[in-house]
Amino acid sequence: MSFEELFKGKKRVVICGIGNDVRGDDAFGVLVVERLKELIDNPNVLIINCGEVPENYTSKISGFKPDLVVFVDAVDFRGEVGEYVIADPEGTLGEAVSTHGLPLKFITRFMKTMINADFVLIGCQPGSTGLFHEPSELIKERAERLAELLAGILRNLTGGS
């Protein structure tokens, strides 16, 4: 599935960046949403830097009444460092106990009791996630590229600029 296909027919979208910016490449999701905030201004798109606690934002997400929720996170899926993956957060990648609190699988299940939306995980294979490390140049580039790609798609949602 392509990134464009994820958003086909969607009118209200939440992008949740997950990660820890002092754990090296784990900053991926946070880097993506912080850049996305600079690139896009669309009332039908809510961009949230969830840090390590996406579970703390469930009421904000549900209050926006989205039809698509996208989690962006560094995910160890045994790929090449910097490789993207598009996955169901209720699937096996959503089970991963990461550096964050609750696994995405449980957050997604809980959110589905509150809103009628599709949920997707866009992951990037991290290299180093050591404490007090800077994200690698490769991961910074991949975050920038994904932010620009998503911005291009999200600008075309109804009401975007």
Side-chain angles (χ1 to χ4, degrees):
M1 178 179 285
S2 71
F3 290 118
E4 289 82 4
E5 288 174 88
L6 294 176
F7 297 91
K8 197 172 185 145
K10 302 303 182 197
K11 302 211 180 326
R12 288 178 71 79
V13 176
V14 177
I15 308 286
C16 300
I18 303 169
N20 182 331
D21 52 10
V22 297
R23 278 195 172 272
D25 292 350
D26 190 49
F28 176 76
V30 170
L31 293 172
V32 171
V33 294
E34 288 306 316
R35 182 67 178 120
L36 210 44
K37 286 177 184 179
E38 297 168 1
L39 293 171
I40 187 166
D41 181 20
N42 182 331
N44 294 306
V45 179
L46 177 62
I47 301 166
I48 306 172
N49 179 344
C50 294
E52 295 184 286
V53 285
E55 58 270 25
N56 288 0
Y57 294 88
T58 54
S59 61
K60 186 172 187 173
I61 294 166
S62 62
F64 189 71
K65 300 190 175 19
D67 49 14
L68 176 65
V69 178
V70 179
F71 297 112
V72 182
D73 196 3
V75 178
D76 185 0
F77 60 98
R78 310 240 188 294
E80 292 288 320
V81 174
E83 185 180 346
Y84 300 130
V85 65
I86 298 173
D88 175 355
E90 287 190 280
T92 51
L93 290 181
E95 285 178 2
V97 177
S98 63
T99 56
H100 325 307
L102 285 172
L104 283 180
K105 178 180 233 177
F106 298 117
I107 296 166
T108 302
R109 282 189 184 154
F110 174 67
M111 291 293 303
K112 282 185 172 180
T113 68
M114 301 165 72
I115 51 173
N116 183 17
D118 292 329
F119 291 80
V120 70
L121 167 63
I122 299 177
C124 183
Q125 176 67 48
S128 168
T129 54
L131 193 56
F132 305 121
H133 290 192
E134 283 281 312
S136 66
E137 286 307 311
L138 175 62
I139 292 301
K140 287 180 191 173
E141 287 167 20
R142 299 299 282 166
E144 175 72 23
R145 182 166 172 231
L146 182 61
E148 288 177 5
L149 199 113
L150 292 177
I153 296 167
L154 293 168
R155 277 190 203 107
N156 296 323
L157 285 180
T158 311
S161 63

